[in-house]
Amino acid sequence: MKPPRFRYDDPVTIEEVLGLLASHGDGAKVLAGGQSLMPMLNFRLARPSHVIDINRVAALATVTSPPEAGLRIGALVRQRTLERSALIRERSPLIAQAMPFVGHLQIRTRGTLGGNLAHADPASELPAVMVALGAELTVRSAGGRRTIAAEDFFVAALTTALAPNELLTEVALPPWPSRTGSSLHEVAKRHGDFALGGVAATLTLDAQGRVAGARIVCFGVGPRPMRVADAERSLVGGAPSAAAFAEAGRLAAAGIDPSDDIHASGTYRKRLAGVLTARALAAALASVTERAA
């Protein structure tokens, strides 16, 4: 349970971090909250030559709300900060709804948004939330910056579109639409465990109370967050009802192909996705009313 030898770097600016990544590439690992990296080091599943600790880079730990621009969240913002923030609850309630499912209080106190997303565990809640919200992720290197849609950022289990010399610096969220509700439902063996399966959903109504838009993202049932477009399309233009939500659940289950593992069968996860889709949509509809009250 001892990590391999590595050189420890402790930069204080983004530019310093990018310079270190440019110099060391695949040989470097970034340390943010450490909730995934430290166990991997101690089990020697990761053997970097350099560990770059970004905890003193204050520019990565901000939450801002530019006029007409939604939210901008730095990669180093702690998960507990997201959970407790009134601004997050008001401007992006799905994040606040998801946070209590993320690990335990001690983990959320140290864990960061960027670290969770860069780790890209397919059973993790926050990657699915970012896809459901249509987030855009800013990544930087010594050579410049680029923006990646959350839907394109997660490539496979524990694999993202980040290059070895790039750092995830910020997550941009669009403005929260009017008459929109959201919800996250999951099933885990114990509270705080990774989900056997889960669904993050948003639901937007038009002025007549019909469905104007929906985003449904399943997690824990594939190698990355799985957006189920057929289920989303089935809702648009119709009345939000239990029957419509059940049909969306059926289409969600049909749109995924989970595999068996030691925790659950693919058949179980497929059924779970359908049931949780209907429940998440019903809860999202209820939250529209709550926000309007």
Side-chain angles (χ1 to χ4, degrees):
M1 295 292 289
K2 293 183 179 180
R5 292 175 64 90
F6 55 81
R7 175 170 174 168
Y8 174 80
D9 293 294
D10 187 23
V12 296
T13 68
I14 294 174
E15 289 71 25
E16 288 179 85
V17 177
L18 301 181
L20 290 165
L21 289 173
S23 297
H24 306 302
D26 281 332
K29 287 290 185 183
V30 173
L31 173 63
Q35 302 307 293
S36 299
L37 180 59
M38 294 309 299
M40 293 175 70
L41 288 172
N42 287 335
F43 281 112
R44 302 204 172 193
L45 297 174
R47 294 173 173 266
S49 59
H50 288 70
V51 169
I52 304 171
D53 185 343
I54 63 172
N55 280 276
R56 293 205 299 154
V57 185
L60 295 174
T62 61
V63 180
T64 59
S65 180
E68 308 301 324
L71 285 172
R72 294 188 176 276
I73 307 173
L76 196 57
V77 171
R78 306 290 171 186
Q79 295 161 10
R80 182 62 170 159
T81 299
L82 298 175
E83 183 176 8
R84 300 177 69 184
S85 168
L87 181 63
I88 294 294
R89 287 195 299 273
E90 175 62 28
R91 301 292 182 87
S92 195
L94 180 57
I95 295 178
Q97 292 163 341
M99 292 315 305
F101 293 100
V102 179
H104 301 279
L105 176 60
Q106 296 88 336
I107 291 171
R108 298 194 297 274
T109 299
R110 288 298 304 166
T112 65
L113 174 62
N116 183 286
L117 300 181
H119 186 58
D121 193 301
S124 183
E125 295 83 3
L126 288 175
V129 167
M130 294 302 121
V131 174
L133 293 176
E136 293 188 337
L137 285 61
T138 298
V139 302
R140 291 180 57 181
S141 69
R145 73 176 69 202
R146 61 191 179 115
T147 300
I148 308 171
E151 207 161 346
D152 300 324
F153 183 78
F154 305 104
V155 176
L158 309 181
T159 305
T160 71
L162 275 173
N165 66 334
E166 288 181 319
L167 176 71
L168 171 59
T169 59
E170 185 180 69
V171 175
L173 300 172
W176 190 258
S178 61
R179 294 187 293 271
T180 295
S182 59
S183 180
L184 185 142
H185 282 232
E186 69 172 44
V187 169
K189 289 187 175 181
R190 299 172 299 179
H191 178 74
D193 283 3
F194 281 114
L196 298 176
V199 174
T202 66
L203 189 71
T204 301
L205 304 183
D206 62 20
Q208 288 72 46
R210 305 184 80 80
V211 178
R215 291 177 75 97
I216 305 167
V217 183
C218 301
F219 59 95
V221 296
R224 63 185 184 278
M226 310 293 289
R227 188 175 171 194
V228 282
D230 286 346
E232 295 173 353
R233 285 192 290 267
S234 74
L235 294 165
V236 176
S241 65
F245 296 159
E247 175 61 11
R250 185 189 70 79
L251 291 169
I256 61 173
D257 186 24
S259 57
D260 300 340
D261 61 27
I262 61 172
H263 303 293
S265 69
T267 300
Y268 172 79
R269 285 192 165 101
K270 200 173 182 70
R271 174 167 170 74
L272 183 63
V275 171
L276 294 184
T277 293
R279 290 180 183 175
L281 289 167
L285 176 62
S287 76
V288 176
T289 305
E290 291 170 6
R291 286 179 65 83

